[in-house]
Amino acid sequence: MTLDLGSGISVVMLALPVLGGLLPAVAQDWRWILLGVALAEAGAGVLLLRLWPPFMALSLLIAGWIAAAFLGLGQSAQWQRGAPMPEAWAGRLFRFTITGFALVLLAYQTENTLAWLPRGFTPAMAWAALGLMLTGILHLAMTQHPFRVTASLLILLAGFVLVYAYIEQSLLLTVLLVGVKLFLGAMGSYLLFAPVAGEGA
Amino acid sequence: MNAPWIWILFPGLVAVGLVFWPASTRAKARVGSGVALTLALLAWFLPVDRLITVVAGRVVVQIQPDWVVLGRALVLPDTLRPWVMGVYLALALWLWAAPWARMHPAFVSWAMVTTVFLVAALTVRPFLYAALLVEMAVLAAVPLLAPGDEPVGEGVVRYVAWTTLGMPFLLLAGSFLTGLETGSVESPQVIRAAALLAGGLLPWMGVVPFHSVAPLLTESTHPYRAAFTLTITTTIIGLFALGFWEQYTWLRDTPRTYQVLRLAGMVMFLLGSLWAPFQRHAGRALGYGWIAENGLGLLALGLGGREGVQAYAALMPARMVLMWALAVSLSILGHPEDAWHREALWGRAVRKPLASGLWVLGWAGLAAWPLTIGLWPRWHLARALTTFGPVWTGAFVAGLLALSATALRWLRVLLAPPASTENTGPLRAETSWDRIALVAGYALVVAGFVLPHVLNPWVLRAVEHFPHLLGK
């Protein structure tokens, strides 16, 4: 994988999975996790601007941020109720190790993944998109807490949209993706407002 | 006037209205089931894309099949009407009985929203957009599964997570498959598309290793809500999956794909049926029953061709009726404590004989006992499986025996004398309204056995939606 680090876009591509993927993995405070989601959405939005008309890319970016805000609203309510996310150092270390290892593996194998991606996909873009998807899936596998689950799904979707943007660009698709993101954020928030049975991260 | 307005836009508006209508479950259920029943009847009698004369032959109308939205189309052809009718009929049944299952008023509105999204998923073109609409349906099912005043079960979170996980795979599979209608199965692009397709359909259909979400959901939330969501979504996702086989020649003409479906179906059927008798929680047992039922659907698809699609369609009415009967009887059995573990239900038949009977009859139906709606479709499936050798038939019979054991086990639990005075407490017995729902359950389960010819015209019309699979 070669990256021109002089270009701002390349820096975004390189940093995206690290910020959007690793930050939520190591963070204990829910606000840092939310920041990771917001950064993933922002990075994906910037990259989407190269592929889609601006109003479509910005719609998705704003929808992602609103979804994150919904999620933050739900989690802050739970936090104020005195129900913080249960977390231990060992869990954070485990998540960091697994996510870091997966990202290293992806960086090593980026060229090989291109056959599975649409034509025109560059290795750097593959790193950014697949990195977000991979970290999203890994987080999903390691938690059952509604906040972390929804955050992981938003990160996964941010990466997926980058892949899908190469294949399809239509107004209906944008509307549906915006709807899915908003719905997902709202449902995550809804689950956080409700009392949770058998909660555990 | 076009068909999507009638069967998608109109019920969608009604559903949104119901969300904001501050009424009781009974009032909402009356409206919701009335609308769903009307839509089902319209789907049976109102032809699409053909001239209809109304007002004593003076006015001629033609209902167009398509509705263009934001540059894409929702297309509801005439051949899809039987499926739409089946879906709305099932919805009417679930909504009608919601008050007796003591559902929250939100159940009615969100059940309708979910169903509308699922019907829209069947009609959207290009059909790969369906993945997004199914995802919307699953997200709309969250307030249905977890009403605000109850703790959120672990199953709900996992259900949403796994379904959302499947969506990107299916969307990517759809895009990879574009232009591959007649590709070769050896082509790398086809192999990639097939892998992505499997990656999306496995979590969506709850196939191993994603099956565990069903018992978790039926245990951690009210079984009526969980059974509705699982039954309606999987049935429509099954239709969506059939669409792939209908559209892509290489999928249709590759025997290996049917072998995989048969194997996955049998594994699920055995997993569900063999695990069900060992469950101490009735809700969990229902989840395993759903896994077995879902496995039968895959097994039917695995038969391939005309036989497969007919077997799949024939299973649908039985699935809807049996899952509904099990869910409604369990809801009434567990009332008022909403406790469904074995100890809580011990000796419950004394107080709730009709609900106990319907719960056992539901399992008997899943096990293909005579006098139940489950017998005929399973009989045809068993006959078709004989062509694949004695191992398949033997495994199928073993699964049915295990389901029979589940029925007998729960019969013993419900008929046993209460273990302690705790269970003979002031439980409210079945009310007159409960009895109406339960008698309707008995009638539907038995009618499907006694009058199979009533269902046959529906099956024959439903399979017409898949002309390529029928070999036309």
Side-chain angles (χ1 to χ4, degrees):
Chain A
M1 179 174 65
T2 52
L3 274 174
D4 172 17
L5 288 176
S7 142
I9 289 294
S10 298
V11 174
V12 171
M13 284 179 189
L14 186 69
L16 198 51
V18 179
L19 290 175
L22 275 183
L23 185 60
V26 291
Q28 182 172 16
D29 192 318
W30 59 272
R31 284 162 289 207
W32 284 103
I33 299 174
L34 216 54
L35 181 67
V37 175
L39 287 174
E41 293 288 353
V46 169
L47 296 179
L48 268 183
L49 278 170
R50 302 173 74 205
L51 305 165
W52 277 6
F55 81 96
M56 282 162 63
L58 288 174
S59 305
L60 269 181
L61 167 62
I62 291 166
W65 278 349
I66 293 175
F70 278 152
L71 200 56
L73 207 63
Q75 182 57 31
S76 78
Q78 205 180 50
W79 183 63
Q80 281 166 6
R81 277 199 317 232
M85 285 186 297
E87 187 59 89
W89 264 104
R92 291 162 66 187
L93 187 66
F94 177 71
R95 267 205 293 272
F96 175 76
T97 313
I98 293 287
T99 314
F101 180 71
L103 285 179
V104 170
L105 205 65
L106 175 67
Y108 184 66
Q109 289 292 327
T110 306
E111 299 278 353
N112 295 336
T113 61
L114 290 178
W116 287 76
L117 294 167
R119 283 196 191 94
F121 230 85
T122 61
M125 195 66 158
W127 155 258
L130 295 182
L132 284 180
M133 288 180 77
L134 191 64
T135 49
I137 290 173
L138 284 174
H139 289 178
L140 201 57
M142 290 186 278
T143 184
Q144 286 168 3
H145 192 282
F147 176 75
R148 280 194 185 274
V149 166
T150 316
S152 312
L153 290 173
L154 285 173
I155 292 171
L156 167 69
L157 279 182
F160 164 71
V161 168
L162 286 179
V163 177
Y164 211 61
Y166 272 88
I167 300 166
E168 177 93 18
Q169 53 167 288
S170 75
L171 196 56
L172 182 61
L173 177 76
T174 314
V175 169
L176 286 174
L177 281 171
V178 164
V180 166
K181 280 192 174 190
L182 291 177
F183 227 160
L184 192 60
M187 289 307 125
S189 177
Y190 175 83
L191 290 175
L192 286 163
F193 271 113
V196 175
E199 185 176 296
Chain B
M1 173 84 67
N2 60 55
W5 284 7
I6 300 172
W7 286 290
I8 296 168
L9 184 63
F10 170 64
L13 293 174
V14 171
V16 172
L18 286 174
V19 169
F20 293 104
W21 185 29
S24 65
T25 306
R26 195 172 293 269
K28 282 189 174 192
R30 279 184 193 147
V31 174
S33 59
V35 169
L37 187 63
T38 310
L39 290 168
L41 291 173
L42 283 175
W44 189 248
F45 291 110
L46 206 61
V48 174
D49 211 13
R50 270 184 277 163
L51 295 175
I52 319 161
T53 48
V54 286
V55 197
R58 283 186 215 154
V59 182
V60 178
V61 245
Q62 185 174 13
I63 296 169
Q64 298 298 327
D66 51 350
W67 177 31
V68 177
V69 190
L70 298 172
R72 296 292 185 270
L74 296 176
V75 184
L76 201 154
D78 200 54
T79 52
L80 192 60
R81 281 195 298 125
W83 292 105
V84 172
M85 181 218 161
V87 169
Y88 278 117
L89 210 52
L91 177 69
L93 190 63
W94 285 89
L95 295 187
W96 173 73
W100 299 303
R102 278 83 186 177
M103 287 293 98
H104 193 276
F107 172 84
V108 178
S109 32
W110 289 104
M112 212 155 176
V113 173
T114 303
T115 310
V116 167
F117 273 127
L118 289 170
V119 173
L122 287 178
T123 63
V124 71
R125 298 286 179 277
F127 87 116
L128 55 94
Y129 281 101
L132 286 162
L133 288 166
V134 172
E135 172 65 19
M136 296 269 219
V138 168
L139 293 172
V142 171
L144 180 161
L145 288 166
D149 53 354
E150 288 179 28
V152 177
E154 194 186 317
V156 180
V157 180
R158 194 181 293 184
Y159 178 65
V160 171
W162 284 2
T163 319
T164 307
L165 191 63
M167 182 197 69
F169 285 97
L170 278 172
L171 278 171
L172 284 176
S175 61
F176 268 77
L177 286 167
T178 308
L180 283 181
E181 279 78 3
T182 54
S184 154
V185 77
E186 304 301 329
S187 127
Q189 202 180 350
V190 165
I191 292 169
R192 278 180 215 126
L196 288 167
L197 195 60
L201 286 177
L202 288 180
W204 270 24
M205 302 279 289
V207 180
V208 179
F210 297 96
H211 65 284
S212 64
V213 73
L216 197 62
L217 196 62
T218 47
E219 184 187 13
S220 62
T221 61
H222 194 290
Y224 196 78
R225 299 194 291 254
F228 168 79
T229 310
L230 289 172
T231 308
I232 206 100
T233 48
T234 321
T235 302
I236 294 189
I237 289 167
L239 280 179
F240 173 67
L242 259 178
F244 282 100
W245 266 262
E246 168 67 15
Q247 192 165 342
Y248 298 101
T249 313
W250 58 269
L251 260 179
R252 222 169 32 242
D253 294 345
T254 311
R256 211 180 304 153
T257 62
Y258 295 114
Q259 286 167 6
V260 170
L261 279 175
R262 271 200 308 277
L263 190 65
M266 186 56 89
V267 167
M268 283 187 68
F269 177 62
L270 286 178
L271 190 87
S273 54
L274 295 178
W275 257 249
F278 300 103
Q279 301 309 312
R280 297 172 69 89
H281 189 283
R284 248 186 112 72
L286 181 63
Y288 279 99
W290 174 85
I291 293 175
E293 186 60 34
N294 206 14
L296 284 184
L298 289 175
L299 207 50
L301 291 179
L303 297 177
R306 173 182 287 271
E307 201 172 25
V309 73
Q310 277 183 348
Y312 186 78
L315 280 169
M316 286 307 103
R319 172 188 289 189
M320 291 295 177
V321 167
L322 290 174
M323 292 308 287
W324 174 79
L326 284 168
V328 78
S329 57
L330 193 55
S331 306
I332 293 172
L333 271 176
H335 187 70
E337 313 96 322
D338 280 356
W340 293 282
H341 50 86
R342 193 176 64 164
E343 287 70 25
L345 298 178
W346 202 264
R348 192 59 65 97
V350 177
R351 291 283 184 137
K352 302 193 172 179
L354 281 177
S356 303
L358 188 59
W359 170 247
V360 174
L361 190 68
W363 281 104
L366 290 183
W369 284 16
L371 283 178
T372 66
I373 192 171
L375 176 69
W376 299 124
R378 283 158 180 76
W379 173 253
H380 291 301
L381 198 55
R383 281 182 57 181
L385 281 175
T386 54
T387 57
F388 300 106
V391 175
W392 288 89
T393 317
F396 187 71
V397 171
L400 292 181
L401 287 175
L403 289 169
S404 301
T406 313
L408 293 174
R409 184 174 179 268
W410 283 106
L411 183 66
R412 181 177 158 269
V413 167
L414 294 164
L415 284 178
S420 67
T421 50
E422 195 180 295
N423 290 327
T424 56
L427 287 174
R428 197 190 301 166
E430 291 152 351
T431 64
S432 316
W433 288 105
D434 286 342
R435 288 192 199 112
I436 292 173
L438 293 167
V439 168
Y442 283 98
L444 285 170
V445 172
V446 176
F449 170 80
V450 181
L451 307 166
H453 54 275
V454 174
L455 295 173
N456 286 345
W458 179 85
V459 172
L460 292 174
R461 278 179 63 177
V463 297
E464 291 296 318
H465 188 57
F466 304 99
H468 292 121
L469 280 166
L470 294 179
K472 288 187 177 175

